[in-house]
Amino acid sequence: SLQGNKYTSEVYGADLSVKEETDIKKGNEVRLPVFGAKSDATTAICGVVEEGEESSAIETVVGSTAFKHSAVYANFVVRSYFVFKGKKGSSDAKDVYSQYLLSSPMSIRYYPLVNDKANYTGMAEAYRKNLTEKDKMPTLTEDVNLNLTLVGGELVPKSFLGIPYTELFEATTLEDAYNITEEISSQVSAKTTVNLKGFTSTGVDVGTVGGGFTVAENLGKVADLQKFNELCKNKSIGMYFDFEINKFKSSSKGFKTFRDGAFNAGDVNVLAYDHNIATNAYEKTTAYHLLTPAKFVYAAEQLINKTSKWGLEGVSLGSLSSIAYSDFSDDTSSDYYAKSYYGDRVS
């Protein structure tokens, strides 16, 4: 086309606190703050967003007949917004921007690449060098050849005398997890890790913060979890018990849906939804709140207090490191506007 095809993706995914319900983008989301371009056989360039990466977006333009070249670059979302809708049933909507500007530093470092480095491998090496220089490269560990994710259960709709309710469907109990892992480990010599997902009070579905930091009763007891943990320890298997602390539907001790949920730029408590791949639409029945980043440390402390006696080899934290969102619940601080500083809170 004359202007070419344009693709834009926010780094770490779209900001869930401003995402319009009908704006479902196709294509993969950008999960790393790095991009690059190759001009010919011997020259290329790699760009790394070093500061403000949570508030950046990677854009590409390809196939432009007007400019006769393609482009890739990064920009920054310096002012968050919310979508204001008209009367019910009206299609009128407009973006209303916040009065607050992003205050965190923003910077991009470019690495020129030539000869045998002017390729994907060279770009990956440049990014690794950048992470190493910034002390963001984790310590190298032995490769894991087999990763198992065992799903405990999910909530299913039920009805009693016409009264609807939900019940936890048992997909895998802790006893099942023990038997599965023991059988696989006896037949496979590869280094293995096991992630127990959906074993808290509401399974894989969103409930209270951290699923109440407990084991679902019909999936097993803490003693069963400790037995499974001991099996993994004896067989040198990495074991992680998953807790979802970002998303929550209902209040619990120390966490209230209105007070502790993230707010958008319009001072409205954010509701996010699961995406139905089949219909390419958001399911309104799955509405959940997003925990304010200011409570991440408190949530982690609660998790440690609840699980310290279990003696687990490890825990994982659901979607904590795979999503990012802005939060305007504290109007005295601009730390979280346009997803800024989200990564600092996670780390």
Side-chain angles (χ1 to χ4, degrees), residues 107-124:
S107 66
I108 303 172
R109 175 173 291 190
Y110 289 94
Y111 294 88
L113 305 172
V114 297
N115 301 324
D116 62 339
K117 299 296 184 182
N119 48 44
Y120 285 120
T121 302
M123 294 178 191

Side-chain angles (χ1 to χ4, degrees), residues 7-45:
Y7 170 78
T8 303
S9 177
E10 295 179 47
V11 174
Y12 307 134
D15 188 339
L16 295 180
S17 74
V18 299
K19 198 171 188 179
E20 166 59 9
E21 297 168 21
T22 58
D23 181 23
I24 301 176
K25 296 180 180 180
K26 297 180 180 179
N28 296 325
E29 293 182 326
V30 172
R31 292 296 176 182
L32 295 174
V34 58
F35 58 95
K38 181 179 175 70
S39 59
D40 54 43
T42 60
T43 57
I45 193 167

Side-chain angles (χ1 to χ4, degrees), residues 118-264:
N119 48 44
Y120 285 120
T121 302
M123 294 178 191
E125 290 176 354
Y127 184 44
R128 182 171 59 192
K129 176 184 177 182
N130 181 273
L131 292 176
T132 302
E133 291 174 348
K134 298 294 181 180
D135 292 326
K136 293 182 178 181
M137 175 65 85
T139 303
L140 294 178
T141 59
E142 186 179 348
D143 288 340
V144 175
N145 304 109
L146 180 61
N147 292 283
L148 296 177
T149 298
L150 301 178
V151 178
E154 66 172 335
L155 295 177
V156 295
K158 297 280 187 176
S159 177
F160 177 73
L161 297 177
I163 302 174
Y165 68 98
T166 57
E167 183 176 271
L168 187 65
F169 170 75
E170 304 168 14
T172 310
T173 66
L174 285 169
E175 183 180 357
D176 294 333
Y178 184 98
N179 294 333
I180 292 171
T181 304
E182 185 176 42
E183 182 177 353
I184 291 177
S185 63
S186 66
Q187 300 180 33
V188 178
S189 59
K191 185 171 178 59
T192 305
T193 62
V194 180
N195 187 15
L196 298 181
K197 187 177 180 64
F199 281 81
T200 54
S201 58
T202 54
V204 294
D205 292 281
V206 178
T208 57
V209 174
F213 304 111
T214 187
V215 179
E217 291 183 359
N218 50 336
L219 297 180
K221 300 178 180 179
V222 172
D224 298 318
L225 178 59
Q226 292 173 324
K227 179 182 176 182
F228 177 77
N229 182 69
E230 192 65 26
L231 169 71
C232 293
K233 186 186 298 184
N234 292 337
K235 292 184 175 291
S236 300
I237 296 174
M239 194 283 282
Y240 301 92
F241 192 88
D242 188 76
F243 295 91
E244 174 59 68
I245 68 171
N246 275 86
K247 307 172 183 178
F248 66 115
K249 275 190 174 183
S250 51
S251 299
S252 59
K253 185 178 180 180
F255 303 97
K256 304 302 178 183
T257 53
F258 186 78
R259 184 189 66 197
D260 298 318
F263 280 69
N264 67 16

Side-chain angles (χ1 to χ4, degrees), residues 258-274:
F258 186 78
R259 184 189 66 197
D260 298 318
F263 280 69
N264 67 16
D267 200 29
V268 175
N269 194 247
V270 175
L271 281 179
Y273 309 90
D274 288 340

Side-chain angles (χ1 to χ4, degrees), residues 248-314:
F248 66 115
K249 275 190 174 183
S250 51
S251 299
S252 59
K253 185 178 180 180
F255 303 97
K256 304 302 178 183
T257 53
F258 186 78
R259 184 189 66 197
D260 298 318
F263 280 69
N264 67 16
D267 200 29
V268 175
N269 194 247
V270 175
L271 281 179
Y273 309 90
D274 288 340
H275 173 222
N276 187 317
I277 299 177
T279 61
N280 195 33
Y282 291 110
E283 297 282 358
K284 291 296 185 69
T285 57
T286 65
Y288 55 84
H289 299 271
L290 298 169
L291 185 66
T292 171
K295 297 276 294 208
F296 286 171
V297 173
Y298 176 74
E301 291 173 345
Q302 291 297 102
L303 187 154
I304 293 172
N305 291 337
K306 291 279 187 177
T307 63
S308 58
K309 297 180 181 180
W310 297 359
L312 300 182
E313 286 290 284

